[in-house]
Amino acid sequence: QTCFVTIKNIERELICPACKELFTHPLILPCQHSICHKCVKEILFFTLEDSFTDLGSESSNQSSPRIRIHSPSLDRIDRVNRSGWKRNSLTPRTTIFPCPGCRHDVDLGERGINGLFRNFTLETIVERYRQAARAATAIMCDVCKPPPQESTKSCMDCSASYCNECFKIHHPWGTVKAQHEYVGPTTNFRPKILMCPEHEMERVNMYCEICRRPVCHLCKLGGSHANHRVTTMSTAYKTLKEKLSKDIEYLISKESQVKGQISELGLLMKETECNGERAKEEASNNFDKLFDVLEERRSAALRAIEASKNLRLERLQTQIEEYQGLLENSGLVGYAQEVLKETDQSCFVQTAKQLHIRIQKATESLKSFRPAAQTSFEDYVIDITKQEEVLGDLSFYSSGLDVPEINEEKSRMYNKALICWEHLVKEDSADTYILEYRKLNREEENATWQEIEACSKSKVISDLENNSSYAFRVRGYKGSICSPWSREVILHTPAAPVFSFLFDDKCGYNSERLMLNPRRTSVESRAGFPLLLGAERIQAGCYTTLDYIIGDTGITKGKHFWAFHVESYSFLVKVGVASNTKLQEWLHNPRDVTSPRYEQDSGHDSGSEDTCFDSSQPFTLITLGMNKFFIPKAPTAPKDSANRILPMPSCIGICLDCDRGKVGFYDADHMKCLYERQVDCSGTMYPAFALMGSAGIHLEEAITAKYLEYRDDM
């Protein structure tokens, strides 16, 4: 009976978010939510159907009452159309799926449903729940002659249940069947091992720390996880199990605290109700004094107060429900405890990840308690001291809604646009914001503004065109009041699609002179420190070599852009591109370094690099150093080098166009091209970097919306 009660409390954890029924053959989506296999197929079918029918019609959803999904929005249908529903496309086919759990679109990749893992752990827990719910309902023998007897064993290899007599008959001693694996009576005959969806004959035995999913050895050797960090399944199993156990213990210990906070929220609701009614009464009395002039304004003010009160009550009620959910941790904790019973490491890891994130969120909400809404209605007091001629502008007591201003230093453009804003006068003076943006086009001066809603003071915008300028503006909303638009800010997108890579720690990497961070996104030169320590022994000229490091991914065609930061203390840094043939020469052929003039790209202004200025070489490197950007000297340029020295940008971009054989160097903050030249792209081109003395380079990281990040400190 105790076991049944525990299982019963976790029922809401076992309900499919699409069909609202117990899971049947659940699959794990890339966003870590689970959904029935049948529901995935039905949602994909109706999403595709809705994409090409009347968007305002609801008939498409009524044809399948089992699935409860919303009609797709215009932008969602546009993303679906652009991401793989079209046939005869040269680009790989991908499938966009609207997850009913998190309400976000997730990319199922080229394999679609076939690339999803089956959630065996959840399937087992659902089966245990079904058995507990049936209580005394027995599982009958599958092979008995009528009437069947109650089964005592279930064979996992035969996928059937047997009574004692039938089991002896069908599994005679001394035969191969006698070695079959059998368990207690069950209707869930899952496979004994978890197989890789991409390599169906391979068992998963590793855990990818980048994608947060189990993989097999073929995925790591030559598949989509070849350059990713992986760990052993036993390590991932141990780490996740320890974290999950600690979080469960913490939640159980905070039950009394949750009860107290729920009581406090109840009092806040009552206070909000009383204050709201009092504010309505005061507003009504004030308007009665000036009824003839203010009748129209009176109803508007009452609606505003009522809307604000309802909004606050709704938020407080929602917060109570959230904390009530924490109080009912027996469900979540019970479900987690059932997951901890899973002994198969692969199955446990794939289920425990999403559960760990949920428990972490519940844990964080307990650490800092803050009511979701204020109880005071001080801003809703009517000002009746003004003259009748200004009553047309009658408003609540308020100094006005502070205008938000876009912070250009925090906002940036890369693979996406990250727009950040702030209030210069007040803090948190708005409840929501509307961010608008439009492309600046000379041919179309009055381009339509596109808007997007935000609840925080930042927003990530995707699907912007490359090599374009965009204007952004934002305004705040609080109840029925809105602020004026902010000053427009113009930002520029990169000249080409962003190329993602990491520093290569194998090909020519000198670990004694260069130091990489664990993520391989930053490199620093150690060469400058030994040189300084030995400066007392230096009596004559001394030259040091360049330490090269390249990107771990090559380019053979197309147009690509990447950006990075160079530390201001850097003595000498060279950045650019180089072909695989030139890299072999640089990295594997030692040279006489007694003179810098021998090194074509040594940074010495000897003209060695400039002599080939007009010819197309298999490399191009630009010199940076001492907080300066040095433009190479052309053969016809005057001897005065002052016009070739520019201040070093805080962020430097490189645009490689293999099809045209050109490489450009940009001030990435303003997307301004500083220098461009021809380059021979006949081979495989790699991002190339060279450091001399003390120097540091940091690769620009991609912009990712918070709701798409599945964070974990593993």
Side-chain angles (χ1 to χ4, degrees), residues 271-539:
E271 185 179 353
T272 301
E273 182 74 31
C274 294
N275 291 343
E277 294 300 326
R278 187 181 299 110
K280 287 174 59 178
E281 183 179 356
E282 292 176 359
S284 180
N285 292 334
N286 289 331
F287 274 107
D288 285 340
K289 297 176 183 178
L290 303 170
F291 183 83
D292 292 339
V293 182
L294 306 176
E295 183 61 32
E296 181 180 355
R297 293 288 179 178
R298 172 186 174 182
S299 59
L302 293 179
R303 286 196 302 269
I305 294 175
E306 187 68 20
S308 179
K309 185 194 74 172
N310 292 336
L311 177 62
R312 299 182 191 191
L313 290 174
E314 180 182 357
R315 291 180 177 176
L316 290 172
Q317 181 62 40
T318 301
Q319 192 173 16
I320 280 188
E321 293 175 358
E322 293 176 356
Y323 277 78
Q324 189 67 43
L326 296 180
L327 181 60
E328 297 173 359
N329 273 334
S330 55
L332 180 60
V333 171
Y335 173 60
Q337 289 172 337
E338 291 297 324
V339 172
L340 289 175
K341 295 178 182 179
E342 176 62 56
T343 57
D344 187 296
Q345 297 183 358
S346 301
C347 295
F348 176 83
V349 169
Q350 71 170 357
T351 304
K353 172 59 188 175
Q354 192 266 346
L355 181 59
H356 176 232
I357 294 175
R358 292 183 55 193
I359 291 182
Q360 271 192 328
K361 291 181 178 178
T363 302
E364 291 174 358
S365 65
L366 294 175
K367 295 179 179 178
S368 59
F369 173 69
R370 180 180 180 183
Q374 297 179 356
T375 62
S376 173
F377 282 75
E378 294 177 355
D379 289 338
Y380 289 84
V381 177
I382 300 298
D383 180 6
I384 61 172
T385 61
K386 297 182 180 180
Q387 293 80 359
E388 289 185 358
E389 58 268 20
V390 297
L391 289 179
D393 298 326
L394 188 66
S395 62
F396 293 108
Y397 271 133
S398 175
S399 59
L401 193 59
D402 187 26
V403 181
E405 291 295 335
I406 296 178
N407 190 321
E408 295 188 58
E409 294 183 358
K410 295 183 179 179
S411 302
R412 61 191 182 99
M413 285 275 207
Y414 199 42
N415 62 322
K416 300 176 183 178
L418 172 63
I419 308 301
C420 302
W421 56 88
E422 58 189 15
H423 292 278
L424 302 180
V425 179
K426 298 181 179 179
E427 289 293 334
D428 300 328
S429 58
D431 296 327
T432 59
Y433 301 90
I434 294 295
L435 174 65
E436 287 192 346
Y437 62 96
R438 66 176 179 179
K439 181 181 177 182
L440 299 181
N441 192 333
R442 295 180 181 177
E443 300 177 358
E444 188 178 354
E445 295 182 358
N446 297 322
T448 303
W449 287 94
Q450 301 183 59
E451 69 175 34
I452 185 171
E453 185 177 355
C455 296
S456 61
K457 295 179 182 177
S458 65
K459 196 67 178 178
V460 173
I461 302 177
S462 307
D463 303 327
L464 299 180
E465 297 182 19
N466 293 318
N467 199 21
S468 302
S469 298
Y470 283 85
F472 299 87
R473 66 182 185 182
V474 65
R475 74 190 313 173
Y477 285 82
K478 187 172 185 178
S480 60
I481 304 174
C482 67
S483 73
W485 287 107
S486 68
R487 176 181 57 88
E488 292 185 17
V489 171
I490 298 176
L491 298 177
H492 310 274
T493 57
V498 169
F499 177 63
S500 297
F501 65 92
L502 300 175
F503 285 118
D504 195 328
D505 59 351
K506 298 179 178 61
C507 181
Y509 172 63
N510 188 340
S511 59
E512 295 182 357
R513 300 172 65 87
L514 298 178
M515 179 173 60
L516 280 175
N517 65 341
R519 297 172 58 193
R520 293 194 286 131
T521 59
S522 175
V523 62
E524 294 185 9
S525 172
R526 298 176 175 176
F529 296 104
L531 187 63
L532 290 174
L533 294 174
E536 296 179 354
R537 300 190 300 271
I538 299 177
Q539 302 297 331

Side-chain angles (χ1 to χ4, degrees), residues 164-296:
N164 282 333
E165 295 301 324
C166 292
F167 186 80
K168 294 177 182 178
I169 295 174
H170 289 82
H171 297 76
W173 184 261
T175 64
V176 176
K177 286 191 173 183
Q179 306 299 322
H180 284 188
E181 178 185 357
Y182 64 89
V183 295
T186 182
T187 58
N188 180 32
F189 301 99
R190 71 174 190 179
K192 292 183 293 186
I193 56 177
L194 189 64
M195 308 303 291
C196 177
E198 297 185 11
H199 309 94
E200 298 179 356
M201 302 303 295
E202 298 295 331
R203 179 178 179 179
V204 296
N205 54 6
M206 291 179 285
Y207 181 75
C208 178
E209 296 181 348
I210 304 299
C211 302
R212 307 293 191 234
R213 59 176 294 177
V215 296
C216 70
H217 70 283
L218 292 181
C219 293
K220 174 58 179 172
L221 290 177
S224 57
H225 304 269
N227 296 323
H228 294 181
R229 297 191 307 273
V230 298
T231 185
T232 62
M233 191 61 68
S234 59
T235 301
Y237 171 82
K238 180 180 179 181
T239 303
L240 269 177
K241 192 163 188 175
E242 289 178 354
K243 292 181 179 179
L244 196 56
S245 300
K246 291 180 180 178
D247 291 340
I248 292 173
E249 293 175 359
Y250 181 82
L251 283 178
I252 294 176
S253 66
K254 294 298 180 179
E255 181 176 356
S256 59
Q257 178 181 341
V258 176
K259 290 182 178 179
Q261 292 172 349
I262 291 177
S263 300
E264 183 178 348
L265 289 172
L267 295 175
L268 291 175
M269 286 190 64
K270 293 181 180 179
E271 185 179 353
T272 301
E273 182 74 31
C274 294
N275 291 343
E277 294 300 326
R278 187 181 299 110
K280 287 174 59 178
E281 183 179 356
E282 292 176 359
S284 180
N285 292 334
N286 289 331
F287 274 107
D288 285 340
K289 297 176 183 178
L290 303 170
F291 183 83
D292 292 339
V293 182
L294 306 176
E295 183 61 32
E296 181 180 355

Side-chain angles (χ1 to χ4, degrees), residues 11-263:
E11 179 177 356
R12 62 181 180 179
E13 305 291 337
L14 310 180
I15 299 298
C16 173
C19 62
K20 306 302 181 184
E21 298 176 2
L22 290 176
F23 282 107
T24 303
H25 305 308
L27 302 177
I28 298 181
L29 299 174
C31 59
Q32 299 299 309
H33 290 101
S34 295
I35 186 172
C36 297
H37 181 269
K38 183 178 180 180
C39 296
V40 174
K41 294 194 294 185
E42 291 185 3
I43 290 178
L44 283 177
F45 172 77
F46 289 112
T47 302
L48 177 60
E49 186 179 70
D50 288 342
S51 300
F52 302 100
T53 57
D54 184 12
L55 301 180
S57 173
E58 298 180 357
S59 61
S60 59
N61 288 339
Q62 296 172 354
S63 61
S64 178
R66 181 175 183 269
I67 302 298
R68 306 177 185 177
I69 58 177
H70 298 284
S71 297
S73 59
L74 286 171
D75 59 338
R76 173 176 295 179
I77 292 175
D78 181 62
R79 288 195 298 272
V80 170
N81 290 338
R82 284 187 285 102
S83 58
W85 291 114
K86 297 180 180 179
R87 297 184 179 180
N88 300 326
S89 176
L90 297 177
T91 58
R93 186 179 188 274
T94 59
T95 304
I96 299 298
F97 179 80
C99 173
C102 59
R103 303 295 183 186
H104 293 121
D105 295 338
V106 294
D107 187 359
L108 302 186
E110 186 176 353
R111 290 174 55 84
I113 300 179
N114 296 329
L116 299 178
F117 278 109
R118 189 168 165 183
N119 195 337
F120 288 123
T121 299
L122 178 57
E123 199 170 330
T124 301
I125 297 175
V126 170
E127 178 59 25
R128 287 205 293 263
Y129 173 81
R130 293 182 192 274
Q131 293 180 13
R134 287 192 295 265
T137 303
I139 299 176
M140 309 309 292
C141 179
D142 292 330
V143 296
C144 270
K145 295 181 179 180
Q149 301 295 316
E150 182 177 341
S151 64
T152 58
K153 299 180 181 66
S154 292
C155 179
M156 303 303 292
D157 296 277
C158 300
S159 298
S161 298
Y162 301 89
C163 63
N164 282 333
E165 295 301 324
C166 292
F167 186 80
K168 294 177 182 178
I169 295 174
H170 289 82
H171 297 76
W173 184 261
T175 64
V176 176
K177 286 191 173 183
Q179 306 299 322
H180 284 188
E181 178 185 357
Y182 64 89
V183 295
T186 182
T187 58
N188 180 32
F189 301 99
R190 71 174 190 179
K192 292 183 293 186
I193 56 177
L194 189 64
M195 308 303 291
C196 177
E198 297 185 11
H199 309 94
E200 298 179 356
M201 302 303 295
E202 298 295 331
R203 179 178 179 179
V204 296
N205 54 6
M206 291 179 285
Y207 181 75
C208 178
E209 296 181 348
I210 304 299
C211 302
R212 307 293 191 234
R213 59 176 294 177
V215 296
C216 70
H217 70 283
L218 292 181
C219 293
K220 174 58 179 172
L221 290 177
S224 57
H225 304 269
N227 296 323
H228 294 181
R229 297 191 307 273
V230 298
T231 185
T232 62
M233 191 61 68
S234 59
T235 301
Y237 171 82
K238 180 180 179 181
T239 303
L240 269 177
K241 192 163 188 175
E242 289 178 354
K243 292 181 179 179
L244 196 56
S245 300
K246 291 180 180 178
D247 291 340
I248 292 173
E249 293 175 359
Y250 181 82
L251 283 178
I252 294 176
S253 66
K254 294 298 180 179
E255 181 176 356
S256 59
Q257 178 181 341
V258 176
K259 290 182 178 179
Q261 292 172 349
I262 291 177
S263 300

